[in-house]
Amino acid sequence: MFDPLIAFIRDQYQTNDPIPLHAPTFGGNERIYVDETITSTFVSSVGRFVDRFEADMASYTGSPRAVAVMNGTAGLHMALMLAGVARDEYVITQALTFVATCNAISYCGATPIFVDVDHDTMGLSPTALEAWLEQHADQSDDGLCRYKADGKVIRACVPMHSFGHPVHLHELVRVCKTWGLVLVEDAAESLGSTYHGQHTGTFGAIGVASFNGNKTITTGGGGMILCSEALGNRAKHLTTTAKKPHSFEYVHDAVGYNFRMPNLNAALGCAQLEQLPGFVAAKRALAAAYRSFFADSSLSFFSEPSGCESNYWLNAVICSDRAERDRMLEATNSAGIMTRPIWALMTRLPMYDTAPRSDELTQSNWFEDRVVNLPSSVIPGLIPDKAP
Ligand SMILES: *Cc1c(COP(=O)(O)O)cnc(C)c1O
């Protein structure tokens, strides 16, 4: 029953070879820039591409500042430290996310609290967040939000823009403000996605992008912290061993991290970022093709929430139940077309057995049973011609 889908995907990618879920596309200045780092010997912690990549990312996203790091997970870890998340505190996030969101929370010695996602975004629901807070939290006189059960501080809230689809940011900004929570956006999947015309990752105090090999653009491995000028200065300092500026002395004024992005990776990033608008256009064109394919089927294609432009990082289709999901995964993968289910809920993982959670994770459970991601790599033929 999945033969038409398999044929459709093969037709898009014009190949009889195995089709990956998301492979990178190198069609620009990648070789030239990477070669320049080798010729100059500046492949590591110093070099012009890191500064340029940060400046280009700030201007592309409209963020006051961008700080490059070695991967998105390290970026999230640093973002939470900048947000003030400390040992024995809580951070609220969605039950349906990639585990890296929660790993970063755990690195801080904090515990995640899991709430539900929205049906139209697959990301953290402001309604579910507010309902949980009203029932389980209160604000002390110092303005801090505390978990009623043990009086510990709930410091931050981390929504994640699943598969590039923006969450309801205006509402989340409001709820976080009301409750004294620092908003940190896990924008690892949403580079190129906007919410009411503004780039995701720029609504909270801090946002984090990822350039892992399977993301919309790649640096091999890499991440970017988006934030204010002041937080950016702090992030740069802490991610580069917290060394006091001096031409030869080695003096450090805090426990620092070696989270910096090497120049070699930033060179790749500069070349990839030049192509990002074309990649997003191609991914949106592929999403439109999937949408019309599924229009006459019993399966439903997941489309961007209203008011948003999504990068459609990974296309997603919703099966009628778990059995159908399993049949689709079986049929496509055995035909050499790589598809995969959405993540198991974080609430099921042994590390988070005892983490607080909403009683109702209705949407998270619903998506967990039904969502299948389809091949979503950029198809070069769908990249619009560059303007003259
Ligand atoms: C990819 C991803 C990350 C982590 O990025 P890395 O660069 O792979 O460390 C974090 N959160 C989400 C939701 C992701 O998809």
Side-chain angles (χ1 to χ4, degrees), residues 6 53 60 87 137 152 160 169 181 183 201 206 246 250 253 259 338-339 342 363:
I6 291 163
F53 191 36
Y60 177 80
R87 189 157 291 282
K152 290 180 184 167
M160 195 280 280
L169 281 159
L181 300 172
L183 178 58
I206 312 165
H246 192 283
Y250 277 82
D253 61 9
F259 282 178
M338 189 182 163
T339 58
I342 201 167
Q363 297 302 330

Side-chain angles (χ1 to χ4, degrees), residues 13 21 25 124 144 181 191 195 242 258 275 278 284 288 296 331 373:
Y13 285 95
L21 192 67
T25 300
L124 200 138
L144 289 176
L181 300 172
L191 185 60
Y195 175 89
N258 183 9
Q275 300 162 80
R284 291 179 59 78
D296 348 289
N373 289 127

Side-chain angles (χ1 to χ4, degrees), residues 64-386:
R65 184 72 185 277
V67 175
V69 289
M70 64 187 187
N71 58 55
T73 308
L76 280 169
H77 181 192
M78 181 53 56
L80 292 172
M81 288 192 276
L82 293 170
V85 176
R87 189 157 291 282
D88 293 331
E89 294 187 345
Y90 289 105
V91 175
I92 303 179
T93 190
Q94 59 209 51
L96 184 69
T97 185
F98 177 58
V99 72
T101 316
C102 301
N103 285 340
I105 295 169
S106 299
Y107 299 160
C108 296
T111 301
I113 292 173
F114 297 110
V115 302
D116 208 1
V117 297
D118 273 322
H119 193 70
D120 62 338
T121 69
M122 273 195 266
L124 200 138
S125 164
T127 325
L129 172 66
E130 198 159 36
W132 188 89
L133 287 165
E134 275 163 9
Q135 203 185 335
H136 298 284
D138 40 33
Q139 256 180 309
S140 41
D141 294 340
D142 52 10
L144 289 176
C145 182
R146 289 173 190 277
Y147 185 31
K148 279 187 204 166
D150 58 16
K152 290 180 184 167
V153 173
I154 306 172
R155 182 70 59 178
C157 173
V158 186
M160 195 280 280
H161 306 292
S162 301
F163 309 135
H165 300 296
V167 297
H168 291 289
L169 281 159
H170 285 154
E171 292 79 1
L172 279 175
V173 166
R174 179 185 59 74
V175 177
C176 287
K177 195 163 174 232
T178 307
W179 285 86
L181 300 172
V182 184
L183 178 58
V184 174
E185 295 174 68
D186 182 344
E189 303 184 352
S190 67
L191 185 60
S193 300
T194 59
Y195 175 89
H196 294 277
Q198 185 179 330
H199 202 284
T200 51
T202 66
F203 287 81
I206 312 165
V208 178
S210 164
F211 311 110
N212 188 38
N214 64 349
K215 295 292 178 5
T216 301
I217 64 169
T218 187
T219 59
M224 192 70 78
I225 299 170
L226 306 172
C227 58
S228 67
E229 196 61 45
L231 282 178
N233 290 337
R234 188 76 191 143
K236 193 71 188 178
H237 187 64
L238 289 175
T239 54
T240 57
T241 72
K243 182 180 178 295
K244 290 176 87 168
H246 192 283
S247 49
F248 48 84
E249 299 274 17
Y250 277 82
V251 179
H252 307 262
D253 61 9
V255 174
Y257 296 80
N258 183 9
F259 282 178
R260 71 178 106 222
M261 176 185 284
N263 200 45
L264 187 64
N265 302 75
L268 199 60
C270 287
Q272 287 269 286
L273 188 52
E274 290 170 350
Q275 300 162 80
L276 179 57
F279 287 1
V280 172
K283 290 171 72 62
R284 291 179 59 78
L286 175 61
Y290 274 126
R291 191 180 306 111
S292 50
F293 174 82
F294 286 113
D296 348 289
S297 88
S298 62
L299 302 163
S300 93
F301 180 74
F302 193 88
S303 291
E304 64 198 358
S306 72
C308 299
E309 282 220 12
S310 174
N311 66 3
Y312 286 93
W313 170 53
L314 287 185
N315 290 289
V317 66
I318 298 175
C319 299
S320 49
D321 55 23
R322 198 166 184 113
E324 184 176 51
R325 179 199 88 154
D326 292 345
R327 285 197 300 275
M328 179 189 284
L329 289 166
E330 192 53 52
T332 47
N333 283 293
S334 63
I337 291 180
M338 189 182 163
T339 58
R340 58 160 218 209
I342 201 167
W343 319 280
L345 299 192
M346 297 299 108
T347 45
R348 300 190 201 291
L349 306 186
M351 310 79 88
Y352 304 118
D353 255 355
T354 58
R357 66 206 58 198
S358 296
D359 299 331
E360 303 280 313
L361 293 170
T362 315
Q363 297 302 330
S364 303
N365 280 293
W366 192 88
F367 283 121
E368 185 193 33
D369 279 342
R370 291 169 177 76
V371 173
V372 173
N373 289 127
L374 303 166
S376 300
S377 310
V378 167
I379 296 172
L382 295 178
I383 300 174
D385 290 336
K386 285 220 178 74

